[in-house]
């Protein structure tokens, strides 16, 4: 009860001021009782839990009473003059005036005007703009990595910090591999909010950027954990759509996790516009998405009951229309274009011990995707502590490959702090660059199994503090 | 007192449970008194203020009693199984074990081993690596924009959201202008924490990336507000260091705000290493930085009393050693390489009315820098509400130039929401691109005064909801 002692000291001061010495003890007792009642702890948690529950108490009330935001805005002048961020209520800033245009219920949803000659339009543009070739090297297409997050702050305060780490991680990989980044923070189509928002965004970007050959969609909760792995672009020369997945699970089992739409490659072509049109119809918010969800849960293996999501819809589309799309879809399982965090994050130490960056597969995954952690939401499907701890580990695992270029490493996979791994020299350009990470852009990184393991390269337990 | 009524209802339930009906009123009264005492409100603020102050109370105590973090980690198992982010205490994750190596007090601080032949080393490397030229076009140097933030979450929860918006803003400008980004989240040199951390980082990057011709440092609280403006690189062909500032204020008045080090260009050459070495000595944390601060406050015009900062040190260095450095330093005031937010943010509407992107100066500033707002800190020098509101406006002002490429705009400079500004067509490549923003990379953007104003281009009040 250390905390109530703090309180007690304050209380005694108050009493002297109020000259009510006699009832001190009674009040102290009842204060504890009333405090616990007021803040709605219910159970007798730790003081920290109580404090959090107070925050919840206020937050929830604020959410269920939107009109309060206005009241606060009006009475905010006084507190708005404070320079203290901790005492500032962000909701005072929320300016989301204006409704989104209501869609016409009579006409079916469409991502945009029908386009059937995109390949011709794009080819002509490329002819006229030789300064913007769609290939920037042999077997090296011009790629735009597209990701994003809500224009609002996360529902939980720490979420934005993990979004920041996730985009820093993507900036690093994309700088090393000559990939451009588009970070979206705008909701372009209110009907397609949520997991479906990527569809109108992707179509818009394909049509605006004919110079882009491949668009790489990546969820905000996915991180690059192999900074040396170059996507085997030439492998996809006859395909338009690359997702991590397995033919059997999608086409035979119709399993809703037979593929993952959190990280995929889409070629800029007419076929891509067509499959986006075929993908979109289950997306519109409300009745359509709800009813479609029932169909998907009924038709797909192991799918829980919830509204239609883009991943299930893609499995359903491919399983039911394989003849239309199958020959141009490449379900990749030879490396982790998407890798489920649950089966990877506890093996990082083993990977460091035995393997090295550049492999991209179970030995050193290209991407670790925190499916179900929802770090920017209020609730995830997994324990929060595990999600955040493992996201830090994944970030540091990838970041160590960046830091080694400059002679640093994280003190451990769980530590934000870094330490030197070598001393600076007066001949910095003579430092060996084992992974070819210093200047790999525009070149596929050649990595053979004869390459030393991360540890043999000097990244032993002592260095990595494992 | 609406909130205490809520409390009261809860209290009454408690009393029924405790069957202490008689002393309800007395306790209720004293509860308010004791609450205010306990949470250290001191003054009688709004309930929201009190709640925040409770958080403060706990946070502060947590900081001054680091051992508590361990205790919490030990007792955390139960709550760690919760999937609710709101009830999770981030401090449980803090793994900052291990002290940073203590510097040898006997040897003077140095950024690294002395290098005196960098120009030769770099020239040889460039000869041997023709795939990585330091110029990527006529008068277009290869540029690396360097920014960053603390590896820890911000001291105020909303800070990370603004860091995220600031890096999204930089990603956009740099994509359009063919500039690479390095986002730093590591403290490479504990002695140089704070505003000085950029020095060891910059030196390390110059030496690791001989292909980079110019390094562009930008603070995390600065945002691009002119997406069309291309830096006039050829103007600096005979200079190595470009900062926003005025010769008279620096060399004659020795005014500590005669230049700004929140956004500057530094050429990758021996001269740059030399000025970094001359700049660094006032940086080391502790006695040196404190004592140096006294000298700077005494010697520089209008400087408040505080420890040595990198900006004051640069003014002092140039003012006292103009002969050594002056001829290679370009103090730019023809456009806003750095622009103080206080004189710009209230004029955005006027700029939209009369001018257009691409000017970079007072008519349409290249950079709006939120000096003194410290959005990631606890306290700023300005009212929080003004800082956050104006940061949103600056972000949206810049973001509108990105969104217009795709036919969208923010509903107002204060709104996160966007709306269409034109309908999609089936000939997307025929859309006029007034600002040349779709494909300006590797090309200086030509903007003449004959170009229409933002409003004349269709960005009238109705569109922008001003």
């Amino acid at each position: 009860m250390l905390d109530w002692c703090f309180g007690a000291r304050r209380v005694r001061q108050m009493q002297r001021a109020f000259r009510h010495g006699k009832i001190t003890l009674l009040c102290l007792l009842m204060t504890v009782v009333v405090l616990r009642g007021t803040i709605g702890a219910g159970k007798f948690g730790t003081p920290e839990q109580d404090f959090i529950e107070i925050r919840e108490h206020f937050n929830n009330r604020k959410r269920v009473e939107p009109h309060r935001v206005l009241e606060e805005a009006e009475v905010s002048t006084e507190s708005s003059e404070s320079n203290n961020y901790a005492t500032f209520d962000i909701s005072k800033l929320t300016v989301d005036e204006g409704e989104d245009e209501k869609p016409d219920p009579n006409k079916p949803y469409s991502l945009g005007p029908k386009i059937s000659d995109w390949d011709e339009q794009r080819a002509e543009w490329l002819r006229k703009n030789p300064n913007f070739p769609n290939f920037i090297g042999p077997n090296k297409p011009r790629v735009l990595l597209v990701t994003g997050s809500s224009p609002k702050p996360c529902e939980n305060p720490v979420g934005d910090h993990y979004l920041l780490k996730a985009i820093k991680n993507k900036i690093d990989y994309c700088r090393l591999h000559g990939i451009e980044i588009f970070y979206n923070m705008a909701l372009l189509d209110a009907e397609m909010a949520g997991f479906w928002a990527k569809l109108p965004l992707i179509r818009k970007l394909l049509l605006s950027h004919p110079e882009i050959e491949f668009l790489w969609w990546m969820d905000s909760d996915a991180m690059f954990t192999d900074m040396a792995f170059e996507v085997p672009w030439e492998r996809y020369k006859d395909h338009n759509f690359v997702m991590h997945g397995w033919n059997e699970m999608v086409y035979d089992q119709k399993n809703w996790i037979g593929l993952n739409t959190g990280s995929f490659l889409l070629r800029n072509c007419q076929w891509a516009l067509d499959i986006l049109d075929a993908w979109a119809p289950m997306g519109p918010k409300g009745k359509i998405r709800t009813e479609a969800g029932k169909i998907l849960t009924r038709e797909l293996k192991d799918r829980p009951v919830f509204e239609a999501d883009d991943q299930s819809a893609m499995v359903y589309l491919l399983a039911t229309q394989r003849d239309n799309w199958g020959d141009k879809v490449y379900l990749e399982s030879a490396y982790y274009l998407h890798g489920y965090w649950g089966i990877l994050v506890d093996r990082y130490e083993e990977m460091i011990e035995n393997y090295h960056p550049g492999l991209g597969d179970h030995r050193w995954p290209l991407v670790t995707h925190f499916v179900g952690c929802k770090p920017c939401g209020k609730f995830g499907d997994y324990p929060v502590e595990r999600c955040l701890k493992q996201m830090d580990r994944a970030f540091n695992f990838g970041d160590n490959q960046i830091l080694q270029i400059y002679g640093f490493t994280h003190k451990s996979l769980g530590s934000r702090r870094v330490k030197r791994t070598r001393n600076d020299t007066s001949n910095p350009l003579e430092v060996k660059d084992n992974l070819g990470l210093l200047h790999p852009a525009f070149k596929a990184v050649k990595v053979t199994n004869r390459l030393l393991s991360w540890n043999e390269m000097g990244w032993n337990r002592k260095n990595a503090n494992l």
Side-chain angles (χ1 to χ4, degrees), chain A:
Chain A
M1 297 302 285
L2 182 114
D3 309 277
W4 302 122
C5 301
F6 270 78
R9 229 177 279 119
R10 308 295 297 273
V11 174
R12 275 195 294 281
Q13 295 157 3
M14 295 294 296
Q15 264 97 33
R16 270 197 295 283
F18 285 85
R19 306 208 184 298
H20 282 164
K22 287 231 177 82
I23 47 174
T24 302
L25 282 174
L26 171 61
C27 284
L28 201 55
L29 167 69
M30 292 313 297
T31 302
V32 176
V33 175
V34 175
L35 252 173
R36 300 216 171 265
T38 313
I39 62 191
K43 65 188 166 2
F44 282 68
T46 67
E48 281 68 22
Q49 284 169 320
D50 288 354
F51 138 59
I52 298 291
E53 278 150 350
I54 295 171
R55 182 168 64 186
E56 271 310 279
H57 179 64
F58 282 106
N59 288 353
N60 294 334
R61 215 193 47 259
K62 220 167 274 138
R63 253 205 326 290
V64 298
E65 299 175 21
H67 68 274
R68 283 188 58 81
V69 177
L70 293 172
E71 291 171 16
E72 280 153 19
E74 282 150 18
V75 302
S76 73
T77 356
E78 175 208 337
S79 80
S80 77
E81 281 312 305
S82 155
N83 297 2
N84 183 342
Y85 283 88
T87 61
F88 183 74
D89 177 358
I90 185 65
S91 68
K92 283 176 194 152
L93 282 179
T94 314
V95 184
D96 280 348
E97 82 293 329
E99 277 311 296
D100 302 297
E101 309 81 27
K102 287 272 161 292
D104 177 351
N106 302 324
K107 67 169 163 39
Y109 177 81
S110 138
L111 287 171
K114 178 74 186 154
I115 298 183
S116 38
D117 63 343
W118 178 238
D119 290 339
E120 294 70 22
Q121 287 192 46
R122 181 171 178 248
E124 188 194 351
W125 187 94
L126 288 170
R127 253 195 318 279
K128 288 183 181 165
N129 294 270
N131 295 345
F132 297 96
N134 53 331
F135 279 81
I136 56 179
N139 294 321
K140 179 77 178 179
R142 187 188 297 266
V143 180
L144 179 67
L145 183 133
V146 182
T147 184
S149 56
S150 161
K152 293 203 186 83
C154 290
E155 285 175 305
N156 76 84
V158 79
D160 286 289
H161 180 66
Y162 285 88
L163 289 175
L164 185 64
K165 291 176 92 162
I167 186 59
K168 182 265 196 288
N169 165 274
K170 294 181 178 83
I171 288 171
D172 285 330
Y173 180 88
C174 290
R175 182 183 64 251
L176 297 183
H177 294 271
I179 293 174
E180 296 174 17
I181 300 178
F182 186 95
Y183 194 99
N184 181 62
M185 275 188 153
L187 178 57
L188 303 187
D189 182 339
E191 268 198 280
M192 296 292 264
F195 5 65
W196 292 91
K198 66 182 78 151
L199 271 66
L201 173 64
I202 288 172
R203 184 177 195 268
K204 172 63 73 175
L205 290 170
L206 293 177
L207 295 176
S208 303
H209 295 285
E211 77 277 15
I212 296 300
E213 180 65 18
F214 268 110
L215 185 149
W216 186 342
W217 169 266
M218 195 178 286
D219 286 354
S220 61
D221 60 354
M223 287 192 272
F224 286 100
T225 37
D226 188 339
M227 293 288 174
F229 186 82
E230 174 80 15
V231 169
W233 299 107
E234 92 291 346
R235 183 183 305 173
Y236 309 129
K237 61 183 189 311
D238 298 326
H239 293 81
N240 297 333
F241 197 10
V242 184
M243 289 171 285
H244 186 269
W246 302 266
N247 287 334
E248 194 211 352
M249 278 182 80
V250 170
Y251 298 116
D252 307 342
Q253 302 170 19
K254 298 188 184 174
N255 192 315
W256 83 294
I257 56 168
L259 56 77
N260 186 283
T261 50
S263 172
F264 61 78
L265 310 171
L266 184 61
R267 189 184 299 274
N268 193 353
C269 60
Q270 180 64 45
W271 185 96
L273 301 184
D274 295 340
I275 200 166
L276 285 173
D277 288 338
W279 193 3
M282 289 184 170
K285 230 164 47 182
K287 196 164 187 320
I288 293 178
R289 197 184 289 185
T290 314
E291 292 305 314
K294 294 174 186 166
I295 297 171
L296 293 172
T297 298
R298 191 183 66 227
E299 298 295 323
L300 300 183
K301 184 160 184 287
D302 298 342
R303 186 182 191 269
V305 175
F306 68 110
E307 61 176 10
D309 63 301
D310 62 310
Q311 176 168 305
S312 303
M314 180 50 62
V315 172
Y316 185 70
L317 181 67
L318 294 183
T320 53
Q321 301 181 23
R322 181 173 191 172
D323 296 349
N324 295 8
W325 312 108
D327 61 331
K328 291 297 182 184
V329 173
Y330 194 112
L331 296 180
E332 179 64 84
S333 55
Y335 66 92
Y336 282 119
L337 178 59
H338 137 91
Y340 171 56
W341 67 284
I343 61 171
L344 297 173
V345 293
D346 293 324
R347 293 183 43 241
Y348 288 146
E349 284 80 0
E350 174 203 330
M351 297 170 193
I352 291 169
E353 189 60 35
N354 302 309
Y355 303 109
H356 54 78
L359 301 168
D361 56 16
H362 64 283
R363 294 168 298 174
W364 204 286
L366 172 62
V367 172
T368 300
H369 182 192
F370 288 85
V371 180
C373 276
K374 306 194 183 68
C376 189
K378 243 185 155 35
F379 295 91
D381 308 332
Y382 300 94
V384 171
E385 188 169 34
R386 175 139 197 268
C387 279
L388 297 183
K389 176 167 173 285
Q390 296 298 352
M391 279 190 279
D392 280 324
R393 278 166 51 83
F395 175 85
N396 293 339
F397 183 73
D399 198 39
N400 276 343
Q401 299 159 51
I402 301 299
L403 291 173
Q404 63 90 21
I405 297 171
Y406 307 105
F408 289 87
T409 187
H410 285 273
K411 289 185 170 183
S412 80
L413 285 183
S415 173
R416 300 189 193 108
R417 292 212 190 165
V418 303
K419 62 180 183 182
R420 287 182 184 280
T421 55
R422 61 172 181 261
N423 291 325
D424 293 336
T425 84
S426 49
N427 299 87
L429 299 179
E430 287 168 12
V431 171
K432 279 250 300 315
D433 177 23
N434 290 313
L435 297 171
L437 277 181
L438 250 171
H439 304 100
F442 305 85
K443 298 179 305 188
V445 178
K446 286 186 213 61
V447 179
T448 73
N449 291 341
R450 290 191 316 285
L451 194 70
L452 299 173
S453 81
W454 194 243
N455 273 350
E456 290 169 301
M457 284 190 277
W459 298 89
N460 51 42
R461 294 189 169 281
K462 198 170 127 297
N463 267 347
N465 270 13
L466 302 177

